Amino acid sequence: MSMREQSPVSVGLFVTCLVDTMRPSVGFAAVRLLEAAGCAVSVPRQTCCGQPAFNSGDRATTRALAEQMITAFETFDYVVAPSGSCAGMIKTHYPELFVGEPDWMPRVERFCAKVFELVSFLADVRGVTHVAAAYEGTVTYHDSCSGLRELGIQAQPRQLLASVAGLTLAEMPDSDVCCGFGGTFCVKYPDVSNAIVEKKAANIVASGADTLLAGDLGCLMNMAGKLQREGRSIRVRHVAEVLAGIGDTPPIGQPRPSAAGLGEAGQGRKP
Amino acid sequence: MTSSSSDHSSRDVVFASVRRALGVNGAEAPRRQAVADRIAGHPEGVIPARAQLPADEQIALFKAMVEAAAATLVHLPDAAAVPGAVAAYLRARNLPMSILRGADPRLAGLPWQDEPALDVWIGPSDGRQLAGLSHAFAGIAESGTVVMLSGPDNPSTLNLLPDHHLVVVDARDVTGTYEEVWTRIRAAYGPGTLPRTVNWITGPSRSADIEQTLLLGAHGPRSLHVLLVGEMPAGEA
Amino acid sequence: MSVHITSPDFKANARKALADAPLQQALAKVGPGFIGKRAAAADKLPEFKALRDSARDIKNHTLAHLDLYLERFETKARAAGGHVHFAVDAAQARDIVLDICRQLGAKTVTKGKSMISEEIALNDHLEANGIEPVETDLGEYLIQIRGEGPSHIIAPAIHLNKEQVEADFRRVHADLPPERNLSEPTALLAEARGKLRERFLAADVGITGANFLVAETGTSIIVTNEGNGDLTQTLPKAHIVLASLEKLVPTLEDVSQLLRVLARSATGQEMSVYTTFSTGPRRADDLDGPGEYHVVILDNGRSGMLAGQFREMLRCIRCGACMNHCPVYHAVGGHAYGWVYPGPMGAVLTPSLIGIEKGRNLPNASTFCGRCEQVCPVRIPLPKLMRNWREKEFERHLTPATQRYGLAFWAFFARRGWLYRPATRAAMAVLALAGKARGRFSKLPLAGGWTQYREFPAPEGGTFQAQWAARTSAQKSAR
Ligand code: SF4
């Protein structure tokens, strides 16, 4: 790993509520990557950045969660999340919540300036150009919307993936088009969401890759769920898992090997 | 026809709502000044570098852009060659040797007698003519656009009704940008005044309304043919 | 035909659209047709981004001084011999148009494409009063003979395929020989051209919209590719322009900036074929052109938008790029939105014009993927404005109860970390255990919207925070 600077910086890891509850291994992958990049990682007590409330029009709840978030994390040099969506929520939208509050605004702006999405933090802030990881397979990368359009994350994950031993990147058509998740959108408008993720699944399959990666667990669960419903054997993982070299945990929506042995033997996993 | 009284009260309601929404009364001197200044100064915004070329390159760009817009173009040494070029155009397409034009003196003064087989009619179009000829006020290199001004010299119907629209553009009238055209029109008509119709035409009529298939000749001319005349004197771009 | 508002039925409309095979076939071409062309046009012009900023600033300046630019426009248009009418709402606008037509004894009017005309349902009103409106934009003509509303603001018939057009032409143009070949789009276009040419020449009044109104000169501008708008306004006795308040622009230079981004954003052209600047009626020595020139300026709720959070929406120049890039529009098409304005711009504008009660689904039916904002030539923050509607909806308790309670339930825990951690830990333990064998669920209580179409991945088990706490305390005790 190459780095611009060697002095350890303190990073507060905001794992996001989805990683916290659904897929802790992404959190551990983030810790491993951050530590390898010379960061001292802490995990303050946390819940959610407030995005579900924000996008549902509930400003009061959002505001309360933002305050909670800022208070918990503002003492670190950096705040890093393995999600473009949550990092984008904080970095680009928190200031909107405190407009006209001069007692809060400078504090919020200072805070937002040190919030980053994991992969772009590694590449852009820590100067990481390659990782010590191996992954046998052909992967395709989906650009999740908020990360791409709010934070400009596009080249960084591809650069780092290029350094993973054994990994081949096969781009899918329209990798920058929404997967149809959209937070609560996918349950409020299931039919429309399904039409969008169907197209995404077809593009993923068209790439010929055996693994799908992205930087946001919500999108990943949506795409994994669709691919699996279609009976596809494509493995779905958070990009951090592969970069951290822990690509041997069961992919999203797949059982642990022992359990698989009892149920659907060998499903979806290569040895 | 004059505006009815209900129009007047609607006018007041609309202005009152706009002013209420903006929190203004309309009499604020700085606002009035800002508006007056903008109209008087009509500042240019962002001008593409592409439109600010030396004379020869500007003509080359104009020709390229006209053709990119699916129009055709011939470059003639001088205006005297226009009647011959019109006749050649009609002959090449097996069209009747007949053309309708406006009274523009720049067209009237051409040696039409050199083409005795060509019938030249003068006036607006009623939709029965296959080919019409106009003189452009200007050409715009930036997008390959011709600028037509309405009036007895070049009736607007000539731009629209004939299947083939032939347009004479004097190379000295080719500008880089839209803004230069406005400057020339202001010089000709006075500030704040336009002829009834200024028509920018960029290529022949087209539609993509059926399955997004692009087809030429929707309602207006199927073909736009530009007769570019002469050269632009160096240093005039 | 007027468009009946079906926006409250967005969900049902969407389901119907998703099951409509010809529609899906047509929609599949929207993305490839528009997106690449816009990108190519934008890439070819290094100044495109700067022009978008310039376009935004011009519109912002105009809106902030709208009353004064309106005054100026009115004065200049009158000085050029035109008539300027103001309409507070749709009904007034319809009546103004009808009055003008009646005074001229009009029997037929030709029409250029005008979304304002659709908004005020003008055609129904004219027909009801014995005046025949003839749409002349090919796409508008197609939907008129089908009795439909537009499904796209710049390509109103984008939902149709050529077989449907052929069937409609055979039905409506019954005077033409039945054995004629209409299998190719060229033949269809030629037939429409012939049919409409007669109508252009016979019309008494021509009605167009306006892409812009220029205050400096009192000029209205239409931008078309077909030339139908020019024929509509040039041939009849009178030209009526329908424009909404926000079409104002200060100067000819300003409108030139906007024109540089309009066609590129809409169709990927450098410039549309016909950009026509009209100022007043036929002049004394003119040989053609309309004898009367009327501009009807419509408010219909827009002045209200000027005041609040939605002012930015009034920058819209109706290029259609936002819908061309919208995954939801691509999936369901324009009719599902249930009124005149579809896609992201409709999701913001429609509730402003018909009310949030009827329009509430539209700003909700977005994934906030942000592609619309990325391409909007006047940089309207469409997702933010949709979110503003969701906030209004929430404040006014219009959000559906299940959603509201779900959110409140979640918020209760999210705001109380000391409860959140044990609660999520327990819940995930249960889910993980239940999903252990397959690693996912095909059915899950309360998640029917998800599992109807997708598997739901089982959690790995044990929250990150719990595992992290265990790990750090183990490290501490080892030390
Ligand atoms: S909102 Fe923007 S992108 Fe959409 S139609 Fe209006 S100007 Fe075009």
Side-chain angles (χ1 to χ4, degrees):
Chain A
M1 237 177 230
S2 63
M3 255 165 275
R4 264 186 228 137
E5 46 183 311
Q6 293 299 322
S7 57
V9 295
S10 70
V11 167
L13 176 64
F14 175 59
V15 285
T16 77
C17 47
L18 270 184
V19 165
D20 185 32
T21 53
M22 297 297 299
R23 200 158 171 84
S25 52
V26 176
F28 287 107
V31 172
R32 191 185 281 200
L33 286 163
L34 289 166
E35 285 179 347
C39 304
V41 181
S42 308
V43 181
R45 301 201 148 194
Q46 51 190 272
T47 66
C48 172
C49 67
Q51 192 183 54
F54 188 54
N55 286 345
S56 302
D58 179 357
R59 234 177 145 88
T61 300
T62 317
R63 165 65 212 253
L65 290 172
E67 230 181 280
Q68 185 176 295
M69 176 86 204
I70 294 168
T71 312
F73 280 87
E74 67 189 333
T75 54
F76 298 100
D77 294 337
Y78 294 104
V79 180
V80 175
S83 157
S85 174
C86 306
M89 167 70 201
I90 299 169
K91 212 175 173 64
T92 60
H93 298 299
Y94 271 17
E96 292 168 30
L97 300 167
F98 296 88
V99 167
E101 295 183 64
D103 48 332
W104 269 97
M105 211 44 175
R107 190 173 161 192
V108 174
E109 275 169 357
R110 263 198 312 279
F111 176 74
C112 292
K114 51 190 185 181
V115 174
F116 289 89
E117 179 276 342
L118 173 67
V119 179
S120 54
F121 176 75
L122 294 173
D124 301 342
V125 180
R126 301 303 293 163
V128 176
T129 55
H130 54 276
V131 293
Y135 189 83
E136 282 309 317
T138 305
V139 308
T140 193
Y141 183 83
H142 163 74
D143 297 282
S144 288
C145 298
S146 312
L148 175 69
R149 281 179 269 269
E150 290 183 342
L151 304 174
I153 302 165
Q154 192 166 29
Q156 304 91 326
R158 290 175 170 84
Q159 265 157 21
L160 293 189
L161 284 171
S163 72
V164 173
L167 181 147
T168 315
L169 181 69
E171 294 287 352
M172 69 175 98
D174 291 341
S175 66
D176 62 343
V177 173
C178 182
C179 72
F181 171 63
T184 53
F185 172 84
C186 70
V187 286
K188 282 191 291 184
Y189 301 93
D191 309 300
V192 184
S193 172
N194 177 54
I196 300 173
V197 73
E198 261 179 7
K199 284 183 206 161
K200 180 54 76 176
N203 284 333
I204 295 165
V205 171
S207 75
D210 55 50
T211 303
L212 166 69
L213 302 178
D216 264 288
L217 192 52
C219 312
L220 286 163
M221 288 169 60
N222 177 44
M223 294 183 288
K226 187 74 220 174
L227 288 165
Q228 286 157 5
R229 178 63 58 88
E230 290 180 353
R232 311 281 180 189
S233 60
I234 293 166
R235 290 169 284 172
V236 182
R237 295 182 179 284
H238 192 286
V239 64
E241 300 171 33
V242 170
L243 294 178
I246 59 160
D248 50 359
T249 52
I252 295 168
Q254 299 289 353
R256 294 194 175 276
S258 56
L262 303 171
E264 301 157 61
Q267 188 189 34
R269 282 205 78 212
K270 292 190 179 169
Chain B
M1 171 178 158
T2 53
S3 307
S4 65
S5 62
S6 82
D7 271 16
H8 281 298
S9 61
S10 309
R11 180 191 183 282
D12 296 345
V13 172
V14 170
F15 273 90
S17 325
V18 168
R19 291 198 163 120
R20 196 178 325 112
L22 293 174
V24 299
N25 62 27
E28 299 87 349
R31 291 179 76 243
R32 300 201 81 92
Q33 195 59 47
V35 165
D37 287 351
R38 190 168 190 107
I39 286 179
H42 44 80
E44 289 182 357
V46 178
I47 306 296
R50 174 211 284 183
Q52 305 174 56
L53 298 171
D56 50 337
E57 289 176 47
Q58 193 161 292
I59 290 288
L61 177 65
F62 176 69
K63 291 192 207 173
M65 296 307 288
V66 164
E67 283 167 0
T72 51
L73 180 143
V74 285
H75 195 167
L76 307 172
D78 53 40
V82 165
V86 170
Y89 178 91
L90 298 175
R91 232 177 257 121
R93 283 158 188 79
N94 264 330
L95 293 166
M97 293 300 284
S98 168
I99 189 109
L100 179 67
R101 65 167 175 86
D104 194 313
R106 291 168 297 182
L107 297 178
L110 299 177
W112 295 106
Q113 64 283 1
D114 294 356
E115 294 295 332
L118 183 63
D119 279 339
V120 182
W121 301 85
I122 299 171
S125 172
D126 60 5
R128 286 179 298 175
Q129 302 80 16
L130 282 176
L133 177 70
S134 319
H135 201 296
F137 177 78
I140 303 170
E142 182 176 349
S143 50
T145 300
V146 294
V147 179
M148 316 304 300
L149 305 187
S150 63
D153 284 355
N154 292 287
S156 300
T157 41
L158 286 180
N159 304 338
L160 306 168
L161 285 169
D163 273 12
H164 297 263
H165 186 209
L166 289 74
V167 181
V168 178
V169 180
D170 190 323
R172 286 169 302 184
D173 297 333
V174 173
T175 68
T177 62
Y178 312 115
E179 287 77 1
E180 290 168 66
V181 172
W182 297 131
T183 305
R184 290 179 186 214
I185 291 183
R186 281 192 195 101
Y189 287 78
T193 312
L194 289 183
R196 187 196 88 241
T197 305
V198 177
N199 210 341
W200 292 0
I201 304 178
T202 313
S205 157
R206 68 198 62 188
S207 173
D209 273 345
I210 300 172
E211 292 194 353
Q212 294 194 66
T213 314
L214 183 68
L215 301 172
L216 298 185
H219 293 294
R222 298 169 206 268
S223 308
L224 177 70
H225 186 60
V226 175
L227 306 151
L228 179 64
V229 165
E231 296 297 334
M232 186 188 290
E236 246 191 50
Chain C
M1 286 292 143
S2 77
V3 186
H4 300 289
I5 299 176
T6 67
S7 304
D9 308 322
F10 176 83
K11 285 187 181 184
N13 294 350
R15 265 196 298 279
K16 214 173 95 196
L18 288 165
D20 181 339
L23 173 65
Q24 290 299 320
Q25 205 189 319
L27 288 174
K29 295 185 181 170
V30 175
F34 283 116
I35 293 172
K37 285 184 200 152
R38 177 203 167 271
D43 289 348
K44 264 206 308 213
L45 193 68
E47 295 86 355
F48 190 65
K49 285 202 173 81
L51 280 162
R52 289 173 60 188
D53 292 339
S54 172
R56 173 199 57 206
D57 296 346
I58 289 167
K59 280 293 200 170
N60 281 347
H61 166 84
T62 317
L63 292 170
H65 300 85
L66 190 59
D67 54 328
L68 302 178
Y69 285 119
L70 280 167
E71 270 181 3
R72 166 84 189 194
F73 175 84
E74 187 188 18
T75 308
K76 293 301 290 183
R78 293 218 167 111
H83 302 270
V84 180
H85 314 259
F86 287 87
V88 174
D89 56 19
Q92 277 190 3
R94 286 190 296 258
D95 287 341
I96 292 167
V97 174
L98 182 63
D99 268 0
I100 300 168
C101 292
R102 278 192 174 146
Q103 292 198 25
L104 289 162
K107 302 238 163 0
T108 67
V109 307
T110 42
K111 297 185 66 214
K113 183 164 73 66
S114 159
M115 288 300 120
I116 299 297
S117 165
E118 300 283 355
E119 179 181 325
I120 65 174
L122 179 62
N123 287 1
D124 278 358
H125 192 62
L126 293 176
E127 273 170 19
N129 288 282
I131 295 170
E132 187 194 6
V134 182
E135 294 290 348
T136 64
D137 169 84
L138 182 56
E140 283 284 336
Y141 179 67
L142 296 177
I143 60 171
Q144 186 184 29
I145 62 181
R146 294 172 64 84
E148 290 178 336
S151 66
H152 190 287
I153 58 171
I154 69 159
I158 201 159
H159 56 289
L160 300 178
N161 61 41
K162 65 177 195 291
E163 288 74 24
Q164 290 167 305
V165 177
E166 174 175 355
D168 288 320
F169 277 14
R170 290 196 186 284
R171 174 174 59 81
V172 178
H173 304 159
D175 53 324
L176 296 177
E179 65 283 2
R180 69 198 190 279
N181 184 352
L182 287 179
S183 57
E184 286 306 314
T186 39
L188 296 166
L189 178 69
E191 181 161 316
R193 180 183 165 108
K195 277 283 160 198
L196 285 166
R197 192 47 85 90
E198 303 160 11
R199 313 306 303 260
F200 281 125
L201 294 165
D204 303 302
V205 171
I207 301 176
T208 70
N211 291 82
F212 306 99
L213 301 177
V214 184
E216 178 190 358
T217 50
T219 300
S220 62
I221 299 177
I222 57 166
V223 177
T224 77
N225 275 323
E226 298 184 4
N228 65 304
D230 293 78
L231 289 166
T232 298
Q233 69 176 54
T234 306
L235 301 176
K237 287 180 260 188
H239 174 202
I240 304 176
V241 180
L242 300 173
S244 47
L245 287 182
E246 78 279 17
K247 300 288 171 185
L248 256 290
V249 206
T251 66
L252 296 166
E253 275 72 6
D254 290 325
V255 85
S256 305
Q257 296 282 294
L258 292 161
L259 287 166
R260 282 192 179 95
V261 295
L262 175 59
R264 287 183 171 94
S265 302
T267 55
Q269 288 166 282
E270 302 268 338
M271 188 55 63
S272 300
V273 176
Y274 300 102
T275 303
T276 302
F277 304 74
S278 307
T279 314
R282 171 195 287 235
R283 306 278 160 91
D285 51 357
D286 274 352
L287 304 172
D288 51 19
E292 288 183 18
Y293 172 80
H294 298 263
V295 183
V296 181
I297 299 180
L298 175 70
D299 182 338
N300 210 23
R302 287 163 177 84
S303 56
M305 293 172 71
L306 257 186
Q309 295 170 300
F310 298 102
R311 185 196 285 196
E312 291 184 280
M313 192 61 224
L314 295 175
R315 290 203 298 263
C316 176
I317 56 173
R318 307 286 189 267
C319 73
C322 53
M323 56 199 75
N324 293 340
H325 289 76
C326 175
V328 175
Y329 181 92
H330 290 168
V332 301
H335 285 157
Y337 291 80
W339 197 48
V340 180
Y341 303 105
M345 59 83 69
V348 179
L349 190 59
T350 302
S352 308
L353 301 182
I354 67 171
I356 185 63
E357 292 81 0
K358 286 186 198 155
R360 64 156 294 274
N361 261 303
L362 274 41
N364 276 290
S366 163
T367 66
F368 283 163
C369 80
R371 233 176 157 202
C372 47
E373 178 174 0
Q374 195 184 23
V375 296
C376 175
V378 284
R379 301 198 187 280
I380 299 173
L382 292 152
K384 181 180 125 192
L385 300 185
M386 287 184 234
R387 194 181 295 110
N388 286 348
W389 274 125
R390 295 187 193 183
E391 279 166 15
K392 286 209 182 302
E393 187 195 3
F394 189 86
E395 280 160 20
R396 293 176 51 191
H397 295 269
L398 295 167
T399 315
T402 45
Q403 203 180 312
R404 212 176 164 87
Y405 293 142
L407 192 67
F409 182 77
W410 163 87
F412 179 82
F413 286 96
R415 290 173 76 157
R416 292 168 182 80
W418 52 276
L419 267 180
Y420 173 89
R421 278 176 291 275
T424 49
R425 203 173 149 185
M428 292 307 124
V430 172
L431 260 187
L433 191 64
K436 199 173 164 198
R438 285 187 67 228
R440 56 183 188 260
F441 303 93
S442 296
K443 276 212 175 73
L444 207 58
L446 301 175
W450 181 286
T451 55
Q452 185 184 357
Y453 295 112
R454 307 169 193 77
E455 303 285 298
F456 189 86
E460 285 179 333
T463 65
F464 175 81
Q465 290 190 74
Q467 292 182 41
W468 177 262
R471 183 174 124 172
T472 42
S473 72
Q475 278 165 352
K476 268 193 204 128
S477 56
R479 234 178 274 140

